[in-house]
Amino acid sequence: YNESLNWFLKYVGENQNNTSSTYADALNRIGDAYFSSRNFGKADEYYKKAVNLNYNGDYAMFQSAYLAGLNKNYSQKIGKLEEMITKYPSSEYGDDAMYEIGRSYLMLENNAKAIETYNRLIERYPNSILVPKAELETGMIHYNQKQYEQAGRSYKKVIAEYPGSDEANT
């Protein structure tokens, strides 16, 4: 990553066409290199630059939101992910974003919003590999709230509909 970081920084520094998709991708790769070295401030700086160019902005927005979560700023993470979903409704990261929003609501101890978000994920992305996880998380929330019948329905649904998933085998 260090070697690639140097080359991407050089490319960005020398590139005159800073509105191209290649330039935006280089910004994302710089963000990724900083992310991998745990320099989250610099990573977020480059993801934000990429967002402003609107090429692969969904990826950059997702990464920036994820960084907010790593910094335990769950409200900011939720806001960024909701913005990403609104701005890029067909994004390949939409299901990931919704799952992360649900996880953030759990961290904020807002179980009702977590369940609501997981249900949005299940309804909007029924074929996502994250659906069994969302269903399992919903079951765990119900179980922890001593809503055993609802928890059982969620657990049984995971076992019945996703028998080969890791969630069904836990």
Side-chain angles (χ1 to χ4, degrees):
Y1 280 104
N2 287 336
E3 183 74 23
S4 68
L5 175 61
N6 292 331
W7 285 104
F8 283 122
L9 285 169
K10 182 177 180 179
Y11 171 80
V12 166
E14 294 176 359
N15 192 310
Q16 299 303 312
N17 183 10
N18 62 3
T19 60
S20 72
S21 61
T22 306
Y23 185 84
D25 189 56
L27 293 174
N28 279 327
R29 297 314 122 224
I30 292 169
D32 291 344
Y34 281 127
F35 185 95
S36 74
S37 66
R38 304 189 58 76
N39 187 339
F40 299 142
K42 285 297 247 183
D44 199 34
E45 175 185 332
Y46 281 91
Y47 290 136
K48 286 178 181 175
K49 287 180 183 183
V51 166
N52 291 334
L53 295 179
N54 286 324
Y55 291 100
N56 294 327
D58 56 340
Y59 174 79
M61 288 178 89
F62 182 84
Q63 291 297 99
S64 182
Y66 196 82
L67 287 170
L70 290 177
N71 288 319
K72 298 187 185 328
N73 191 338
Y74 302 113
S75 295
Q76 183 182 41
K77 179 181 177 182
I78 292 166
K80 286 181 175 192
L81 291 172
E82 289 288 2
E83 180 184 355
M84 188 211 88
I85 291 168
T86 300
K87 190 171 183 177
Y88 301 99
S90 300
S91 172
E92 67 182 282
Y93 305 106
D95 58 338
D96 297 287
M98 281 194 193
Y99 183 76
E100 288 297 326
I101 292 168
R103 298 281 302 146
S104 295
Y105 278 124
L106 282 178
M107 298 306 291
L108 292 171
E109 299 180 6
N110 189 337
N111 293 332
K113 290 295 277 184
I115 291 172
E116 177 185 312
T117 304
Y118 290 140
N119 286 337
R120 278 176 48 206
L121 165 64
I122 293 164
E123 289 170 20
R124 187 163 178 191
Y125 302 97
N127 298 319
S128 169
I129 62 170
L130 296 171
V131 168
K133 286 184 175 193
E135 197 68 59
L136 186 63
E137 294 277 349
T138 300
M140 288 193 291
I141 293 168
H142 287 305
Y143 182 84
N144 290 336
Q145 293 177 333
K146 299 184 183 349
Q147 298 169 338
Y148 301 121
E149 188 174 316
Q150 289 171 302
R153 279 197 298 267
S154 291
Y155 294 146
K156 287 176 184 176
K157 185 173 181 183
V158 171
I159 293 166
E161 294 184 22
Y162 311 99
S165 70
D166 290 339
E167 287 72 25
N169 297 318
T170 56

